[in-house]
Amino acid sequence: MPRFTVLLAALLLAVSAWPAQAAVTITFWSRDFGGNYFPHAFFTLRGTPDAGGPAVDAGYGFTAKSVSPALLFGNVAGRVERPKHGYMEGSHARFARTISDAQYAAVLDLIRAWDEKTGDATYNLGKRNCVTFVREAARRIGVAQVDFPRLMKKPTSYLRAVYAANPGQLVAVEQTGKQWFAAHPPTTGIAPIDAPISTPGTMPGKKEEAPVAK
């Protein structure tokens, strides 16, 4: 009997730690440098707001509209993009957090503020890039320690630093995109804010990777 009680307590603890499915969960992702792409960070929103309404299932990242030498010399045009499914399968889900409706609304406000149609989409490689975008999302959902100036061009290192600096606030995922989708198949959830579906950070002269079968 005591052994059963211990096992039951451990199960309840594990369930309580994982982001609840009744609310919106934000998951932070990164993709390392590869043959075709620059490193990138983005987040996904998935679930149903506590207040009701349609379920959501979409990812958002911020990137330069084109990858060129101009990135090295200052501001260029940027935009919020929704990464393609195949691109996400080649990325890594790092950590997640269930958020309140107010925090969800704050993240949507962030997307609008950085979108080229509704806000300021200026991209700067050192000051206003994909890592800056996910940093602001983390700040808006109440993550305490999000400032790591030396890592603002290193998506994976930045997200790992955020996780390590905020014990108990975030749920570790550390799965490849393929592993994550195996556990979280695409749903009929909407994209709460429209944005181009694209492959972020494709290097000049490189072809996009072949689409990955779903």
Side-chain angles (χ1 to χ4, degrees):
M1 190 67 176
R3 183 180 178 183
F4 173 78
T5 302
V6 171
L7 290 174
L8 178 60
L11 177 61
L12 291 174
L13 179 61
V15 170
S16 64
W18 185 253
Q21 297 303 305
V24 174
T25 295
I26 185 169
T27 303
F28 290 81
W29 297 63
S30 67
R31 179 157 185 151
D32 296 326
F33 187 87
N36 289 359
Y37 308 111
F38 283 113
H40 189 55
F42 58 96
F43 57 79
T44 53
L45 298 166
R46 188 180 176 104
T48 304
D50 290 326
V56 301
D57 187 359
Y60 295 94
F62 181 72
T63 186
K65 292 186 73 170
S66 63
V67 178
S68 72
L71 290 172
L72 303 175
F73 301 103
N75 296 341
V76 297
R79 70 177 183 180
V80 173
E81 294 182 342
R82 295 165 53 202
K84 289 183 178 179
H85 183 95
Y87 180 88
M88 293 177 65
E89 285 193 334
S91 305
H92 286 76
R94 299 299 177 184
F95 57 76
R97 185 176 188 179
T98 299
I99 56 179
S100 68
D101 284 2
Q103 291 168 336
Y104 172 58
V107 173
L108 296 187
D109 285 344
L110 170 67
I111 296 170
R112 295 187 188 98
W114 289 51
D115 184 76
E116 61 181 333
K117 301 181 297 294
T118 56
D120 179 5
T122 302
Y123 182 95
N124 184 288
L125 185 60
K127 300 177 181 179
R128 202 172 193 266
N129 59 21
C130 65
V131 181
T132 317
F133 184 66
V134 299
R135 181 191 67 186
E136 293 309 310
R139 194 193 307 278
R140 291 187 183 214
I141 65 169
V143 180
Q145 300 294 331
V146 299
D147 291 316
F148 300 93
R150 296 182 179 180
L151 301 178
M152 299 313 292
K153 296 180 183 178
K154 300 178 179 180
T156 296
S157 296
Y158 173 79
L159 291 180
R160 285 177 171 166
V162 170
Y163 178 78
N166 294 278
Q169 296 187 45
L170 306 164
V171 176
V173 179
E174 288 299 337
Q175 292 179 326
T176 66
K178 289 184 178 180
Q179 292 170 331
W180 191 87
F181 279 116
H184 305 82
T187 71
T188 57
I190 66 167
I193 296 176
D194 186 40
I197 299 174
S198 185
T199 303
T202 305
M203 295 175 63
K206 297 287 186 177
K207 295 182 179 180
E208 290 190 12
E209 295 173 348
V212 179
K214 297 183 181 179

